[in-house]
Each structure stands twice: as structure tokens, then as C-alpha cells.
């Protein structure tokens, strides 16, 4: 598995493109993270919290009826069964433990759909940190339920009114607040994005998905999957599951991006599919942008994938050819959402529905001897109101 | 080459006064008029912002100014054209202030060439710190452009020394934690200490910015630093105005600040 170089690069992607005011905090975080990662007692506590609080290991479930599942074996890594309903909490537990180790006084976080905000509010409550969550004003409206859940958990949600008022702007604001309170506050980033060491650190906290999947796959099926599929917003659930298999060259890795209305429609969130190399939120990676280097407005049915950038390690895996990135549209994801719910009795997050939609396409090209593994990154309860409104169901 | 403005100011017993404005806010003609007004008022150099939609180092005032400029699709090329006109009129030296991605997409070599051609003196890139700055500063230097680097309150003394040796034109001393904005007054005590440490390692000019917003701040900083940068407060001063009206407001706002930059005054 690739480690970033000392400057935080995976190949030519990553780095630290942030104001000077944050460099010392990133340096100190790197030192503390490195010490913690080498300390068995840190991982022991992380594992304990994941077991007793989050409910890990998450099940590996074999689908029976969805798509071609009767012909081509299809496994689902059930991150939807985690406490708070998505993979996001694996990462917030890890970062909260680091924040405590560093003696930080409070946590700040950005959130789009609210899943990462909820996961941060949850660990804030558990470990006794005050939590401030920055969220685009448009998302505050769209995700009213998660906003209230964060309040119940004692977090303060700050609507961000600058720019497009979505995740990109919430992230800008979290960086600005961090710059002002860099001594006291720990910035809990929600995906494998941001300046070094965040992309690497978040991957290490999500790696548990891939490690568990690989182990259980071998134990129960006696072999590795032939294909591993995950949706990619910033890319944390995908890096988490990929991490278990990246050193097994025979396992094909598939990242599924949100095409929105189509990769070439201009209404998309597929950074790797439709973007160019650029710099956003502290790292060099692929980015949806116009010819002048201004970040483009994005669109996806799924708030969690509605982000113009993507983690630098995905850019690296794309360039090296180790992983392949494919688009799935809003309409395809919505179809998969219903079809999967009705075939398996599991309502997927609309983010995860993108991966599930591609699994069905891929199964058509695979046979009974293949084994497809999909990361079911979250559950769909949070999306019910939106899906209901979109489909016009009373 | 930018260092000369600090020498001239010091000889006149002043701290160099460097106002910041956003190009294209609210339109390019207004910015042209403001640049002229600032030159006439006696600005030693002018920081000219290239609008960017995701300015991580900026507070609400400058972020909103960038949005107004972007609403008119102001591009890097437009800003360079503006610089060219301004220099043709013998305007004050221009320090471009731009985030990395717009110039990365423009092409670093092409940007350095065109900025130099247009007559700019220096380029500040707030999301480039020491580590990522090597290539860019080399490319800019080849075209005779300075690249001042920033030192923040959180910068360790050891690191500040390295920044000071890499920085060219001047060293941008960030007066407080956080982002740009006229809000809280910088702490003179902490600033004095930072400047003392820097002076021990460098002879390059030190210019202070972030949060300097009135004559009293300017007077306090003038006794410590070689230059003073005033941005958000100036932008607030002409917000909502355009054309000659905006230029007149700018002039009214900066005149007392420039007077306060004279440290020979009692
Ligand atoms: C269920 C779910 N899956 C995926 C994502 C996308 O994030 P990432 O690409 O970092 O896994 C989100 C983000 O909110 C999410 O809630």
C-alpha cells in the first residue's frame, strides 16, 4: 500500500496548499499521528470503541436477489449497520482519539449531507468535546433532519452563506475557523481530502473496512473478490475498502463517481471523470473547474457525493491504472435505490446506491466464478424525505 | 526590486503604505480609477487581488469582493491588462495577490511571463507556503518578479528564519491568527516580539497585514515595521460605490492612514 512521501504526495498528487498559519498545526498533527499510529495502545482503544460503540465488525452480507446476484456472487460490506448509519464514524472515532491525545479543547467539522457532521457530533458527545459544524446554508435546508440530530447531540451547526452554500463552502469556512483557533481546535475532516496528513490519516482510519472485508472473504469464501466497488465523493469509504485489496493485483478496484445528469452535462460531480488536475482545499488532485481555474458548481442527487474535488490518492490510483473510475447518473442511482431495497430488504444511502447500480452493470460481464464485493457505505433513512419528494410519492 | 520602495519610504521617515484592492470589484473600470487614486494619494505599492471563488485565507469582506468580480467573469488576463494600463500611466508598483489554482491553470511559466510583461513587481500566493513554493518562486524570479512569503503568529522561529531567507521583495508578517478582515485589532505586543525575532535573522523589509484598519493601528505598526498592508477596511470603505465615487471614497479613506504612516510625526 502506497505511503505518501514526506511532503504528503502520492505520486504527483497531494501536498499542502494551505496558508502559512496552518502549517505548524499540520506539522504537529503529523508528528502526533505518527506517534499514535506506532503506539499499540492507541489502536487498542480505537478497536475497542469501534467494537462496543460503533458495532464492528460490520457484517459481510451475500445478496440473493438483486440484479444478477443469483448468478454472479455479490457481497456487501455492511457499513450501513454502523452506529450513526455510515462509514463516517470510523474516521471520527480515530480523529477524536487523536484530538484527545493532543489535548485539544474542541472539534470543528465541515459537512455536506450531514453524515460526517452527525458522526463528529456523536464522538464529540462521547468524548466530551464541544463540536462546531460548518454546513452550507443550502444543505442546512436540504438536510433538516441531520441538522436537528446534531443539535440533539449537543453540537452547534453554523450555516455558511458564502459561495454556493454547499460542502465546498462549508469546507472553506471550516479551514478559516481553524486558522483562527488553531491552538485549541482540532479540525476533523470528513474524507480523504485536505492537506497532508489528512488524506493519509483518514484512509488509515477507514482501512478497517478493507481489512475486515478481506479477512472475512477469505474465511468464508476461501478466496479474494474479483472486483471491489465503492462510491467516491471525497473518496473515504472507497479508500477504506480499497486499502484491503490494493496489494492484491488480481483484485480489480472500481470507484463510482456521481455523474449527476451525465459526465458531459455540466451538471455533474464526477471529478475524476470530467475534471482536470488542480488545487482545492489543500491538495493537488482532480477538480471540476472552468478554464480559468475557478471551481465549478457541482450537481448530484446525493449530497454526500456532491463535491468538486476528490482525494489525491484516488487521482494517483487513476493515473497508475490500479483503480478504474466510472460514472453513474442520478437516474441510475435512484433506480438502484428502489430495486436494491425491494430485492434485499436494505435501503441503501443514495451515495451507496451509485456503487450498487454499477455492481449490476458489472455483473452482466461476470460469471458464477467471479465474486463482486460492494461497499454499502451507509443506510438510506436520511434520504427518504428527498427521494419521496423527488418521486412525487405522497 | 520591490525592496526599493521600502528604502524610499524609510528615507522619508515613513513606513511603506500598501493598500489592497480586488480587481474587478465591482468592475474593472472602477478598479482602474481606484488604482489611480491610490497612486495619487501616495501609496508606495498596491496589492491587487485576482478574484478567486474559494479564498481560504480571506474573511467575508475580501471573499465577497471576489464574488462581485467573478459575477462579471473577471479573469487573470483581465487583471493583467489592467496592470498594463496602470503601469503605462506611471502608476504605483503592483503586487499581485492570487490563489494558486487560477495561475496553475493559466500556466506558471506563462503567468510569470505575462505578469512581468504587464509590469507587475511581485506576486503573493497565500495558499503557497515554503514547501510548495520552490518551483513557483524560481519561475517568477526568472521573470524578475518577487514572491513575498507569509509569516504567521503560529510560525515557529526556526521556520520563520527559513521563510525569511526564501522570501523576496519583503516578508509579509501576518499580524494575527485567522483570515483577512477588519475585525479584531492585532496585538502589538505579540507583533513586536515576532518582528524582533525576524529582525535577528533577516535584513529584508517586513510588512504587516491582516486586521490593520484605522489610523491608530497604522501609527502603532509604523513604529515597528517597514510596511503596512490595509485591505478589508479599504474595501469596506468603497463597498456599494463605483467609478469616480468609489475612487473619491478610497482617497478620503487612505489619506489619514498615509499621514499616520509617517513615523517622524509626534
Ligand atoms: C453513506 C455515504 N457514502 C459515501 C459518502 C461519500 O464520502 P466518501 O467518498 O468520503 O466516502 C458519504 C458522504 O457523506 C456518505 O454519507
Amino acid at each position: 500500500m502506497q505511503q505518501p512521501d514526506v511532503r504528503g504526495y502520492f505520486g504527483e498528487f497531494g501536498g499542502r496548499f494551505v496558508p502559512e498559519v496552518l502549517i505548524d498545526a499540520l506539522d504537529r498533527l503529523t508528528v502526533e499521528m505518527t506517534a499514535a499510529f506506532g503506539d499499540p495502545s492507541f489502536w487498542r482503544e480505537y478497536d475497542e470503541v469501534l467494537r462496543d460503540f460503533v458495532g464492528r465488525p460490520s457484517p459481510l452480507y451475500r445478496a440473493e436477489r438483486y440484479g444478477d446476484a443469483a448468478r454472479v456472487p455479490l457481497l456487501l460490506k455492511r457499513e450501513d449497520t454502523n452506529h450513526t448509519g455510515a462509514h463516517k464514524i470510523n474516521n471520527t472515532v480515530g480523529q477524536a482519539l487523536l484530538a484527545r491525545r493532543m489535548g485539544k479543547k474542541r472539534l470543528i467539522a465541515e459537512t455536506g449531507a450531514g453524515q460526517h457532521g452527525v458522526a463528529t457530533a456523536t464522538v464529540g458527545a462521547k468524548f466530551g468535546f464541544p463540536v462546531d459544524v460548518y454546513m452550507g446554508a443550502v444543505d442546512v435546508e436540504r438536510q433538516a433532519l441531520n441538522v436537528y440530530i446534531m443539535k440533539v447531540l449537543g453540537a452547534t451547526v453554523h450555516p455558511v452563506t458564502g459561495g454556493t452554500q454547499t460542502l465546498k463552502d462549508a469546507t472553506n469556512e471550516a479551514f478559516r475557523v481553524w486558522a483562527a483557533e488553531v491552538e485549541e481546535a482540532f479540525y476533523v475532516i470528513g474524507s480523504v481530502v485536505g492537506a497532508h496528513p489528512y488524506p493519509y490519516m483518514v484512509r488509515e482510519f477507514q482501512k478497517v473496512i478493507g481489512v475486515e472485508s478481506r479477512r472475512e472473504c477469505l474465511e468464508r469464501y476461501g478466496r479474494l473478490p474479483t472486483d471491489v466497488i465503492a462510491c467516491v465523493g471525497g473518496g473515504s469509504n472507497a479508500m477504506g475498502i480499497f486499502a484491503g485489496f490494493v496489494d492484491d493485483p488480481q483484485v480489480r478496484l472500481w470507484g463510482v463517481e456521481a455523474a449527476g445528469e451525465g459526465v458531459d452535462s455540466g451538471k455533474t460531480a464526477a471529478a475524476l471523470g470530467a475534471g482536470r488536475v488542480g488545487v482545492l482545499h489543500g491538495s493537488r488532485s482532480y477538480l471540476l473547474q472552468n478554464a480559468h481555474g475557478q471551481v465549478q458548481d457541482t450537481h448530484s442527487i446525493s449530497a454526500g457525493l456532491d463535491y468538486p474535488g476528490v482525494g489525491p490518492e484516488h487521482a494517483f490510483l487513476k493515473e497508475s491504472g490500479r483503480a478504474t473510475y466510472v460514472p453513474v447518473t442520478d437516474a441510475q442511482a435512484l433506480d438502484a435505490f428502489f430495486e436494491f431495497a425491494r430485492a434485499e430488504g436494505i435501503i441503501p444511502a443514495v451515495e451507496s446506491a451509485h456503487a450498487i447500480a454499477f455492481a449490476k452493470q458489472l455483473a452482466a460481464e461476470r460469471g458464477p466464478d467471479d465474486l463482486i464485493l460492494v461497499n454499502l457505505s451507509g443506510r438510506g433513512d436520511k434520504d427518504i424525505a428527498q427521494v419521496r419528494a423527488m418521486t412525487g410519492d405522497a | 526590486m520591490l525592496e526599493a520602495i521600502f528604502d524610499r519610504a524609510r528615507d522619508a521617515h515613513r513606513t511603506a503604505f500598501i493598500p489592497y484592492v480586488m480587481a474587478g470589484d465591482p468592475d474593472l473600470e472602477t478598479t482602474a480609477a481606484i488604482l489611480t487614486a491610490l497612486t495619487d494619494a501616495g501609496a508606495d505599492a498596491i496589492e491587487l487581488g485576482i478574484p478567486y471563488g474559494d479564498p481560504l485565507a480571506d474573511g467575508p469582506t475580501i471573499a465577497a469582493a471576489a464574488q462581485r468580480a467573478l459575477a462579471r467573469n473577471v479573469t487573470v488576463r483581465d487583471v493583467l491588462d489592467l496592470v498594463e494600463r496602470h503601469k503605462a500611466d506611471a502608476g504605483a508598483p503592483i503586487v499581485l495577490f492570487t490563489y494558486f489554482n487560477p495561475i496553475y491553470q493559466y500556466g506558471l511559466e506563462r503567468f510569470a511571463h505575462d505578469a512581468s510583461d504587464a509590469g507587475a513587481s511581485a506576486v503573493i500566493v497565500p495558499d503557497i507556503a515554503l514547501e510548495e513554493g520552490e518551483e513557483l518562486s524560481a519561475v517568477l524570479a526568472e521573470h524578475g518578479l518577487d514572491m513575498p512569503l507569509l509569516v504567521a503568529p503560529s510560525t515557529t522561529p526556526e521556520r520563520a528564519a527559513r521563510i525569511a531567507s526564501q522570501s523576496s521583495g519583503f516578508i509579509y508578517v501576518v499580524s494575527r491568527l485567522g483570515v483577512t478582515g477588519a475585525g479584531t485589532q492585532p496585538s502589538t505586543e505579540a507583533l513586536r516580539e515576532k518582528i524582533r525575532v525576524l529582525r535577528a535573522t533577516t535584513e529584508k523589509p517586513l510588512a504587516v497585514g491582516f486586521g490593520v484598519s484605522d489610523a491608530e493601528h497604522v501609527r502603532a505598526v509604523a513604529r515597528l515595521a517597514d510596511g503596512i498592508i490595509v485591505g478589508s477596511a479599504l474595501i469596506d470603505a468603497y463597498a456599494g460605490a463605483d467609478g469616480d465615487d468609489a475612487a473619491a471614497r478610497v482617497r478620503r479613506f487612505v489619506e489619514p492612514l498615509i499621514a499616520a504612516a509617517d513615523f517622524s510625526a509626534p
Side-chain angles (χ1 to χ4, degrees):
Chain A
M1 171 114 248
Q2 179 85 9
Q3 303 293 320
D5 69 18
V6 288
R7 295 170 61 228
Y9 277 88
F10 299 93
E12 57 173 308
F13 302 104
R16 269 191 190 167
F17 295 83
V18 292
E20 170 62 25
V21 63
L22 294 176
I23 296 284
D24 183 57
L26 292 168
D27 278 342
R28 281 194 272 166
L29 176 59
T30 306
V31 168
E32 199 63 45
M33 172 197 77
T34 306
F37 283 5
D39 176 356
S41 73
F42 178 82
W43 290 114
R44 211 174 303 125
E45 183 167 15
Y46 170 81
D47 288 342
E48 262 173 40
V49 175
L50 289 191
R51 187 189 65 212
D52 300 340
F53 185 66
V54 173
R56 300 201 75 91
S58 64
L60 189 68
Y61 165 76
R62 175 153 180 192
E64 303 276 339
R65 298 184 348 105
Y66 171 75
D68 261 347
R71 186 178 64 85
V72 184
L74 174 64
L75 303 178
L76 292 131
K77 181 59 172 167
R78 295 286 307 275
E79 294 300 300
D80 63 310
T81 65
N82 291 342
H83 180 40
T84 72
H87 67 294
K88 296 283 177 188
I89 192 139
N90 303 326
N91 171 43
T92 59
V93 166
Q95 292 199 49
L97 288 172
L98 259 185
R100 199 183 60 189
R101 203 180 151 104
M102 293 178 77
K104 295 292 179 182
K105 298 284 183 285
R106 64 190 195 91
L107 306 181
I108 56 180
E110 84 296 339
T111 197
Q115 290 305 101
H116 174 59
V118 168
T120 307
T122 298
V123 297
K126 173 174 168 47
F127 292 105
F129 288 109
V131 174
D132 289 279
V133 177
Y134 296 84
M135 188 170 185
V138 168
D139 290 336
V140 169
E141 288 284 313
R142 287 198 289 202
Q143 306 288 336
L145 180 64
N146 271 343
V147 172
Y148 190 64
I149 290 173
M150 287 184 262
K151 282 185 188 156
V152 168
L153 289 163
T156 308
V157 179
H158 303 267
V160 174
T161 53
T164 53
Q165 314 196 359
T166 59
L167 176 57
K168 162 179 87 74
D169 308 284
T171 307
N172 291 340
E173 196 60 19
F175 266 108
R176 292 178 184 126
V177 171
W178 192 34
E181 300 174 33
V182 70
E183 289 294 329
E184 304 250 293
F186 188 103
Y187 180 16
V188 182
I189 292 188
S191 192
V192 286
V193 299
H196 177 65
Y198 279 100
Y200 166 68
M201 179 174 75
V202 175
R203 178 193 87 190
E204 292 300 294
F205 288 139
Q206 292 292 1
K207 196 159 88 175
V208 61
I209 304 172
V211 170
E212 284 177 8
S213 299
R214 188 176 193 281
R215 186 173 56 226
E216 202 167 351
C217 214
L218 286 172
E219 275 170 20
R220 292 188 30 202
Y221 300 92
R223 60 197 171 114
L224 292 173
T226 49
D227 300 271
V228 174
I229 302 172
C231 65
V232 177
S236 66
N237 86 88
M239 269 328 301
I241 197 160
F242 287 1
F245 302 97
V246 84
D247 291 334
D248 302 307
Q250 70 275 32
V251 179
R252 281 160 293 205
L253 306 176
W254 302 92
V256 183
E257 292 195 293
E261 296 183 4
V263 188
D264 302 319
S265 67
K267 297 188 103 182
T268 183
L272 292 162
R276 300 193 318 279
V277 176
V279 167
L280 177 69
H281 296 149
S283 60
R284 187 201 326 259
S285 184
Y286 277 75
L287 175 60
L288 289 164
Q289 56 182 320
N290 71 14
H292 302 292
Q294 302 292 341
V295 181
Q296 203 169 297
D297 289 358
T298 54
H299 166 82
S300 167
I301 185 182
S302 140
L305 304 181
D306 201 354
Y307 180 68
V310 64
E313 196 170 1
H314 286 293
F316 172 75
L317 293 176
K318 173 189 157 89
E319 297 277 285
S320 70
R322 179 64 190 92
T324 307
Y325 295 85
V326 293
V328 158
T329 64
D330 288 351
Q332 291 168 326
L334 197 58
D335 283 349
F337 175 87
F338 281 107
E339 189 182 339
F340 188 79
R342 288 166 190 181
E344 301 295 341
I346 299 169
I347 301 176
V350 285
E351 290 82 7
S352 321
H354 287 72
I356 290 167
F358 177 71
K360 185 176 164 184
Q361 294 172 22
L362 188 69
E365 300 166 16
R366 295 287 185 265
D369 294 337
D370 293 313
L371 186 60
I372 298 176
L373 169 64
V374 176
N375 195 11
L376 182 51
S377 58
R379 66 175 185 236
D381 307 41
K382 69 183 175 58
D383 301 312
I384 296 295
Q386 186 199 1
V387 168
R388 188 177 184 186
M390 285 182 63
T391 53
D393 248 342
Chain B
M1 44 184 289
L2 203 55
E3 289 200 22
I5 68 158
F6 296 95
D7 294 339
R8 256 191 292 122
R10 195 178 306 110
D11 290 346
H13 305 285
R14 289 188 303 107
T15 234
F17 181 76
I18 308 173
Y20 171 104
V21 289
M22 176 64 70
D25 167 34
D27 56 64
L28 287 161
E29 283 315 307
T30 298
T31 308
I34 289 173
L35 294 181
T36 303
L38 288 170
T39 302
D40 293 347
D44 295 282
I46 301 168
E47 248 186 67
L48 185 61
I50 295 178
Y52 182 57
D54 295 273
L56 273 192
D58 285 304
T61 296
I62 291 179
Q67 289 298 335
R68 290 191 291 270
L70 289 175
R72 296 188 180 250
N73 299 312
V74 171
T75 65
V76 172
R77 187 61 253 174
D78 293 333
V79 180
L80 297 181
D81 289 342
L82 181 66
V83 173
E84 201 163 332
R85 265 173 66 191
H86 169 76
K87 292 309 294 178
D89 288 348
I94 294 290
V95 179
L96 291 166
F97 184 100
T98 175
Y99 285 84
F100 185 63
N101 201 49
I103 62 173
Y104 185 47
Q105 302 307 320
Y106 194 93
L108 297 184
E109 171 62 35
R110 181 172 155 233
F111 173 75
H113 174 272
D114 290 1
S116 171
D117 245 24
S121 302
V123 182
I124 293 175
V125 189
D127 54 348
I128 294 286
L130 205 49
E131 290 76 6
E132 303 289 349
E134 228 167 273
E135 183 193 351
L136 179 59
S137 73
V139 171
L140 292 173
E142 268 169 45
H143 291 275
L145 293 162
D146 286 330
M147 182 168 152
L149 296 175
L150 288 79
V151 169
S154 55
T155 305
T156 61
E158 176 273 332
R159 186 177 163 84
R162 283 193 292 138
I163 293 172
S165 79
Q166 283 298 309
S167 192
S168 52
F170 63 91
I171 296 155
Y172 193 137
V173 182
V174 177
S175 66
R176 56 162 161 75
L177 292 174
V179 293
T180 59
T184 49
Q185 167 154 14
S187 140
T188 321
E189 254 340 285
L191 193 59
R192 177 169 304 151
E193 177 56 19
K194 196 101 222 165
I195 285 176
R196 193 187 60 75
V197 170
L198 280 166
R199 294 272 192 227
T201 65
T202 184
E203 300 194 330
K204 290 175 187 167
L206 307 178
V208 171
F210 282 40
V212 183
S213 54
D214 60 27
E216 197 189 323
H217 294 172
V218 171
R219 244 187 305 278
V221 176
R223 289 177 163 72
L224 300 171
D226 308 301
I228 290 176
I229 299 158
V230 177
S232 299
L234 171 59
I235 290 172
D236 285 337
Y238 70 85
D242 61 6
D244 292 341
D245 178 26
R249 289 192 201 196
V250 162
R251 190 147 184 170
R252 270 201 302 280
F253 179 78
V254 297
E255 272 169 354
L257 301 191
I258 290 177
D262 181 338
F263 53 74
S264 66

